Amino acid sequence: MSIIQPRTLKGFRDYLPVPMAARERVLEVARSVYRSFGFVPIETPVLEYSEILFGKGGEESDRQMYRFEDNGGRDVAMRFDLTVPLARFAAQHVGTLGTPFKRYQVGPVWRGENTQRGRYREFVQFDFDTIGTESLVADVETLVVVHDLFVALDISDFKIHFNNRDLLNGLLERLGLLERGASVLRALDKLPKIGADAVRAELHESSAATSEQADAILALAELRGTNDEVLAALPAIVGESPHAVTGLAAIKTVLEGVRAAGVADSRVRLDVSIARGLTYYTGTVFETFLEDLPSIGSVCSGGRYDDLASLYTKQRLPGIGGSLGVDRLMAAIDELGLIDDRGATADVFIPYFAKDRINDYLSLAERLRKAGLSVELYPEPRKLGAQMKYADRRGHRLAIVVGDREWEAGTAQIKDLASATAQEVAFANLVERCAALLEDGV
RNA sequence: GUGGUCGUAGCUCAGUUAGGCAGAGCACCUGGUUGUGGUCCAGGAAGUCGCGGGUUCAAAUCCCGUCGGCCACCCCA
C-alpha cells in the first residue's frame, strides 16, 4: 500500500509547539491591550457570500480571493481580511449593538497571491476597530493602541507611519489628478522602495502626470524633518481645498492627541508617502514598521473607512481600526532572534521512576495542580537521567524528584533546573516552596 | 499571475562545474554513571538526494515536467 505524501499547500503552514507557544503569548498580550481600551470580542464566519466580499478592497483583493460554489450552489468566498466582514457585521447588528461599537477579533484570512518571507496565503490578523464615530478621538486612540501594543510586546524598535487620505486627495484635487488618484497613490507608495526618480518616471507613465504635477507630488513626499516641521510645510504644498484643510486639521489633532496620551514623538511619524492600496480608506491611514527589519513590511496597519458600511446599510457607520499581522510579526520576531524557545507549558516536572508508586505520583501531581501549579508527570518509569534530560530540553523550571527514599521519608527534592540547585522539603511544605521558587526565579 | 534562484539525514550544509560506492557538523538514541539534565568519552540509528518522467552501461549530478522555499515585479499583514 502506498502512503499519502504528508504535505501542506503552498502558503499554508503547520505550527509546531515552540513557535505556537510564542504565538499564543503574542495573542495574549494583544488581547489584553485591546481589552484595556474597552474593545470587546466578536467572531464572524470564515465564509461569506461572494457579494459581501467582492468589490470592496479594489481589483487586487478581488483577484486574490478564494472563491467557489458550495454544495448548495451558493457563490461563496473566504474572507480576505477582517474589516469587510466587520462592516457587514456592523450593518447587520448595529441595532442591538448601539454605537460607538469597539470590537477586537482574531482569525485567519486568505489571499491567493504568491508567497514570500512573511507573506502567506493563510495568515492570522488580530484586528481592533471602532465603529460608529467620526470623532478624531478614535483616530488618536487607534494609534495609541498600536503604540501600547508594541510596547507591551517588548518590541523596542517600531515606528508608526501615519498619513491622511484627505490630505492626499486635497493635493490631487489641486493638481487636477483626482480622477487618476489610485495610480498616483500607488506610485507614491513606492517612494521608500524605489526612490524619487523611479516614482517620477512611474507618475509620467501610469498617471500621465506632467512634470509640474510630478514635482508637486514628490515635493510632498520628500518633506523631511520632525512631525511639526513637516506639518508646517504642508499647507503651501497641498493648497486650500476642503479636502486639504480637513486632512491638515485631522493630522494636527492626531499628533497633539497621541502626544497628550504619552506617546513619544519618536514612535509616531507623519509620513505623507503612506497611501495604502485598499480603496476603502478615507481619512487617517497608518502602517507600523520594525526599524531593524524594514524589509518585511508593515506588521500592523489600518485606517479610517467612513463609507465602507454604506454598502450594506443606509445608516451611516463610519469606522477606524488596525490590523496586527500576527504571522508577519512572528516571522520578524523569529528573524530578530527574539523568540522564546521554551516549549514547556508546565512549570513543574515530576519524573516517574519508582515503578510501583505510579498512583502516588498521580495523586501528588493532582494535589499540586489543585494548589495552582502547572505540573507535567512523565508517563513512563524510564531512568531518571533520561527524564531529567527531557525536562531540560523542554524548559521546565522545577523538577520534583520523589523516589522510594523520599516516599518513605515523606519528603521531596525540589530541583531548580536553571541553577541546578536542589533542596529537600517535607510534603507539607512542597507547594509553598515551589511557589516561592517560581516567584523569584522569574 | 510573470521572471529569477534554490530543494541532499530532524536542522545547517558539502558533494552537482567535468555522471562512477550518499557525506560532515549539530540534534537524536544507547552505554560509560543500577536515583539526577546542560560538559566530556565511546558507540548507534537516521536520507524515496522534493516528486514524476527521459538520456545513459551507470544520474544527487545532464534534459523535460511538476511541487515547495526564497527573491524581484505586483500587492500587502
Side-chain angles (χ1 to χ4, degrees):
Chain A
M1 195 177 89
S2 71
I3 60 168
I4 298 163
Q5 196 59 233
R7 57 182 185 155
T8 53
L9 286 163
K10 180 185 178 76
F12 291 70
R13 303 165 310 143
D14 290 325
Y15 302 102
L16 272 62
V18 168
M20 191 63 207
R23 288 170 70 80
E24 287 198 340
R25 286 189 283 271
V26 165
L27 296 181
E28 279 160 23
V29 169
R31 187 172 288 116
S32 76
V33 170
Y34 296 161
R35 293 176 71 102
S36 76
F37 281 78
F39 292 87
V40 298
I42 70 160
E43 198 122 314
T44 66
V46 152
L47 229 48
E48 298 269 3
Y49 281 102
S50 290
E51 64 184 25
I52 299 289
L53 301 181
F54 276 80
K56 308 305 184 292
E59 285 173 30
E60 191 61 25
S61 56
D62 284 0
R63 213 175 313 137
Q64 294 179 356
M65 208 100 64
Y66 281 92
R67 180 183 197 176
F68 57 94
E69 186 177 294
D70 77 1
N71 289 341
R74 284 171 283 257
D75 179 8
V76 300
M78 291 160 86
R79 64 188 179 204
F80 171 93
D81 66 10
L82 299 177
T83 307
V84 172
L86 171 65
R88 189 228 78 219
F89 175 97
Q92 195 170 333
H93 300 294
V94 65
T96 53
L97 297 168
T99 58
F101 172 62
K102 300 166 74 173
R103 82 89 173 77
Y104 67 86
Q105 178 177 4
V106 60
V109 301
W110 293 269
R111 298 183 187 178
E113 64 174 334
N114 244 338
T115 56
Q116 255 176 64
R117 179 176 51 124
R119 303 179 63 162
Y120 312 99
R121 289 182 171 171
E122 176 181 64
F123 60 95
V124 170
Q125 293 193 325
F126 200 163
D127 280 28
F128 64 96
D129 288 84
T130 303
I131 300 291
T133 175
E134 287 180 79
S135 166
L136 289 172
V137 173
D139 299 54
V140 171
E141 278 213 323
T142 297
L143 297 191
V144 176
V145 168
V146 175
H147 168 268
D148 287 6
L149 172 59
F150 281 85
V151 168
L153 286 171
D154 226 4
I155 291 170
S156 51
D157 270 327
F158 70 90
K159 191 160 275 183
I160 305 167
H161 293 235
F162 90 104
N163 192 16
N164 189 289
R165 274 275 177 96
D166 282 319
L167 180 86
L168 295 173
N169 286 334
L171 177 68
L172 294 172
E173 213 166 36
R174 207 199 87 195
L175 299 173
L177 285 171
L178 204 50
E179 304 283 293
R180 283 163 276 169
S183 67
V184 172
L185 295 185
R186 214 176 303 131
L188 179 60
D189 207 42
K190 292 180 196 167
L191 183 69
K193 218 170 186 176
I194 65 177
D197 290 341
V199 170
R200 184 187 302 276
E202 181 160 338
L203 283 171
H204 285 304
E205 273 175 45
S206 66
S207 312
T210 65
S211 295
E212 290 73 29
Q213 289 171 325
D215 283 344
I217 291 160
L218 285 166
L220 173 82
E222 288 181 328
L223 285 175
R224 289 286 175 276
T226 66
N227 291 333
D228 289 332
E229 286 164 4
V230 172
L231 189 57
L234 277 174
I237 299 174
V238 299
E240 290 176 359
S241 69
H243 269 311
V245 171
T246 305
L248 271 173
I251 289 170
K252 194 157 178 284
T253 303
V254 168
L255 275 176
E256 284 169 1
V258 296
R259 202 173 281 160
V263 174
D265 278 7
S266 60
R267 293 300 192 198
V268 173
R269 178 165 146 211
L270 173 54
D271 177 350
V272 288
S273 75
I274 296 290
R276 304 204 38 73
L278 294 174
T279 54
Y280 54 65
Y281 287 116
T282 52
T284 298
V285 288
F286 68 90
E287 302 188 348
T288 309
F289 297 95
L290 304 182
E291 308 261 277
D292 290 336
L293 203 56
S295 66
I296 207 159
S298 172
V299 290
C300 185
S301 309
R304 183 167 271 287
Y305 43 92
D306 282 347
D307 303 319
L308 182 55
S310 65
L311 295 159
Y312 313 107
T313 178
K314 285 177 181 161
Q315 184 170 347
R316 178 145 179 79
L317 280 178
I320 179 169
S323 184
L324 176 68
V326 176
D327 293 274
R328 186 172 282 187
L329 177 64
M330 295 315 297
I333 286 175
D334 188 19
E335 183 124 345
L336 295 172
L338 299 175
I339 46 156
D340 183 342
D341 58 3
R342 272 175 27 123
T345 53
D347 291 324
V348 176
F349 177 74
I350 302 181
Y352 159 37
F353 69 108
K355 274 194 186 59
D356 303 327
R357 297 272 195 172
I358 185 53
N359 289 331
D360 292 326
Y361 286 111
L362 287 165
S363 142
L364 171 64
E366 190 55 15
R367 217 177 332 132
L368 297 176
R369 289 190 196 103
K370 281 191 176 131
L373 298 171
S374 51
V375 182
E376 176 171 356
L377 172 65
Y378 200 81
E380 309 171 23
R382 284 179 79 190
K383 61 184 255 187
L384 186 54
Q387 298 191 50
M388 295 303 290
K389 190 170 182 175
Y390 170 89
D392 184 46
R393 289 272 145 69
R394 295 297 162 116
H396 296 279
R397 306 262 304 276
L398 302 177
I400 296 180
V401 181
V402 191
D404 286 321
R405 286 204 303 267
E406 288 83 359
W407 287 121
E408 299 291 331
T411 64
Q413 181 195 124
I414 304 176
K415 185 158 185 175
D416 183 306
L417 288 168
S419 63
T421 55
Q423 53 186 288
E424 199 82 12
V425 303
F427 279 162
N429 303 325
L430 193 50
V431 169
E432 188 191 347
R433 285 305 308 152
C434 285
L437 283 168
L438 290 171
E439 180 67 28
D440 55 43
V442 180

